[in-house]
Amino acid sequence: MPWSVAFMVVMIVMITAIAKTARHRNQHMLGDGGTAPHEVTRAQEEIRALKERVQVLERVITDNHNSLDLDRQIERLRDH
């Protein structure tokens, strides 16, 4: 019986230590624990630029799609 109590105490201490280490690591990775502000700013600018590129690509695709549909409709009218 005393070994099981000692084992439980050791396990509780280990779990607590692992949880503290994981929390510290997550805070560091999320920017709460020392991430440089310029890195966060750079990442935000990169995300903004990527969103703008996606918008341009969406516009090109939809504009191209509309022009192809218009070309098809004109060809159908010529065939009739």
Side-chain angles (χ1 to χ4, degrees), residues 2-4 6-10 13 15-17 20 22 27 30 41 45 48 55 58 60 63 65-66 78:
W3 287 104
S4 62
F7 179 73
M8 284 196 280
V9 170
V10 169
V13 170
I15 291 171
T16 304
K20 284 183 181 180
Q27 286 176 346
L30 293 175
T41 303
E45 290 174 359
R48 182 189 49 76
Q55 288 176 347
E58 288 174 343
V60 167
D63 288 349
H65 182 65
N66 289 336
R78 286 184 185 164

Side-chain angles (χ1 to χ4, degrees), residues 64-75:
N64 188 24
H65 182 65
N66 289 336
S67 67
L68 289 175
D69 285 343
L70 182 60
D71 289 342
R72 289 180 191 141
Q73 290 175 2
I74 291 172
E75 287 299 311

